[in-house]
């Protein structure tokens, strides 16, 4: 009898000392927990919980802060092989800070966000169907739109292409490079009102592959339509 009383007292003492409360939000069809939130006690209107999401096999899928029904603080998600495929920071449900996204084909990107809009420098690692290889893309955002000169480089750091953007539209300077690093084509683009894609403007220069800077030919454009090609 005394032993039973001691066990009951121990259980009550442990329960009273717990400083967390777990709330199960949903389960998978196989009974495994899908979503759960852990709160520090005491719970207030401004409490920040830790929300976790799990795959059907019980492996962690996502984890991050949660406040008033919104993501808050750092979040991280993993694929089924426990590899990070997404992480970022939130402020009351709005993207704020650095983000990293990784995709199934191996491509990824890093960018910064402020009040839900991308800003500043970004780096991407994308598959290029033209070369059948992965390439790095370096650029910058302003108010969630591409801006300034963006650069495409191969995995060895060799420049492949440069293009200027204005408010998310490719307009202005554009250049393409040979595999040996010499410039191949250079010119400027522009965008007609109401259109999204850039057209070549004035003169497009074609350069020699082996004599860097030597012009082999030019193409003359008017309103985006080629008028003449001159070989040298």
């Amino acid at each position: 009898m005394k032993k039973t009383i001691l066990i009951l007292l121990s259980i009550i003492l442990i329960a009273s000392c717990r400083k967390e409360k777990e709330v199960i939000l949903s389960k998978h069809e196989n009974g495994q927990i899908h979503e759960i939130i852990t709160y520090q006690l005491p719970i207030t209107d401004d409490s920040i919980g830790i929300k976790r999401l799990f795959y059907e096999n019980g492996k962690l899928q996502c984890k991050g802060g949660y406040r008033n029904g919104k993501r808050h603080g750092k979040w991280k998600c993993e694929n089924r092989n426990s590899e990070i495929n997404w992480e970022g920071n939130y402020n009351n449900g709005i993207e704020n800070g650095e983000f990293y996204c990784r995709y199934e084909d191996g491509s990824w990107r890093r960018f910064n966000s402020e009040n839900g809009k991308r800003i500043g420098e970004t780096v991407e690692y994308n598959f290029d169907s033209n070369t059948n290889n992965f390439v790095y893309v370096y650029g910058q955002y302003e108010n969630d739109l591409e801006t300034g000169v963006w650069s495409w480089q191969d995995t060895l750091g060799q420049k492949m292409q440069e293009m200027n953007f204005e408010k998310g539209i490719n307009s202005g300077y554009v250049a393409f490079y040979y595999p040996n690093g010499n410039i191949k084509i250079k010119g400027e683009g522009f965008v007609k009102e109401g259109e999204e894609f850039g057209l070549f403007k004035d003169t497009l220069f074609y350069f020699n592959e082996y004599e860097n800077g030597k012009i082999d030919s030019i193409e003359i454009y008017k309103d985006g339509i080629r008028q003449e090609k001159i070989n040298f």
Side-chain angles (χ1 to χ4, degrees):
M1 182 67 179
K2 289 183 177 180
K3 185 176 181 181
T4 303
I5 293 174
L6 287 173
I7 293 173
L8 289 173
L9 288 173
S10 298
I11 294 173
I12 293 171
L13 182 61
I14 292 171
S16 64
C17 290
R18 291 186 64 183
K19 297 182 179 181
E20 295 180 345
K21 179 177 178 58
E22 291 186 340
V23 180
I24 298 175
L25 301 178
S26 64
K27 291 185 177 182
H28 291 287
E29 291 183 359
N30 64 0
Q32 288 279 4
I33 293 175
H34 180 214
E35 297 175 288
I36 187 171
I37 297 181
T38 303
Y39 288 102
Q40 295 289 325
L41 296 176
I43 299 175
T44 67
D45 292 339
D46 205 36
S47 288
I48 300 175
I50 300 298
K51 185 173 183 179
R52 289 172 290 163
L53 289 82
F54 298 89
Y55 291 106
E56 300 91 335
N57 61 4
K59 279 190 173 183
L60 182 67
Q61 181 181 7
C62 294
K63 179 181 178 180
Y66 207 66
R67 184 171 71 179
N68 295 328
K70 299 177 181 179
R71 292 174 177 173
H72 187 78
K74 186 174 182 177
W75 271 76
K76 180 174 70 174
C77 293
E78 301 176 353
N79 60 24
R80 293 181 181 273
N81 296 320
S82 299
E83 300 168 328
I84 296 176
N85 62 0
W86 175 83
E87 61 182 344
N89 291 274
Y90 288 83
N91 185 12
N92 290 324
I94 299 175
E95 294 180 353
N96 259 298
E98 184 177 354
F99 279 77
Y100 168 77
C101 304
R102 185 179 183 276
Y103 305 97
E104 291 184 359
D105 64 355
S107 61
W108 54 263
R109 62 191 179 111
R110 292 184 184 274
F111 64 92
N112 289 281
S113 185
E114 186 176 281
N115 296 323
K117 295 183 177 181
R118 289 168 295 180
I119 62 166
E121 296 181 352
T122 181
V123 181
E124 300 178 5
Y125 183 69
N126 297 328
F127 183 76
D128 181 25
S129 58
N130 294 322
T131 62
N132 204 35
N133 285 305
F134 281 93
V135 298
Y136 288 99
V137 183
Y138 299 90
Q140 50 278 321
Y141 287 97
E142 183 178 345
N143 199 30
D144 210 36
L145 297 173
E146 298 93 335
T147 187
V149 177
W150 283 56
S151 175
W152 284 254
Q153 299 180 15
D154 64 22
T155 54
L156 298 177
Q158 182 61 60
K159 197 177 293 184
M160 301 167 60
Q161 177 183 341
E162 289 180 321
M163 186 176 293
N164 186 72
F165 285 84
E166 295 179 9
K167 296 182 178 180
I169 298 175
N170 55 316
S171 180
Y173 171 77
V174 59
F176 300 88
Y177 292 82
Y178 289 109
N180 63 6
N182 290 340
I183 192 165
K184 180 180 182 180
I185 305 172
K186 184 173 71 173
E188 288 195 16
F190 74 103
V191 179
K192 287 186 177 180
E193 186 176 355
E195 296 185 3
E196 296 182 358
F197 301 102
L199 301 171
F200 289 121
K201 175 183 179 182
D202 299 331
T203 304
L204 195 62
F205 297 88
Y206 288 80
F207 294 87
N208 187 278
E209 181 174 2
Y210 303 103
E211 297 184 46
N212 192 29
K214 179 184 177 183
I215 299 173
D216 282 343
S217 63
I218 62 172
E219 290 181 347
I220 299 174
Y221 286 79
K222 183 179 180 180
D223 296 327
I225 299 174
R226 190 177 76 170
Q227 304 294 312
E228 183 180 7
K229 182 174 182 178
I230 303 174
N231 295 314
F232 297 101

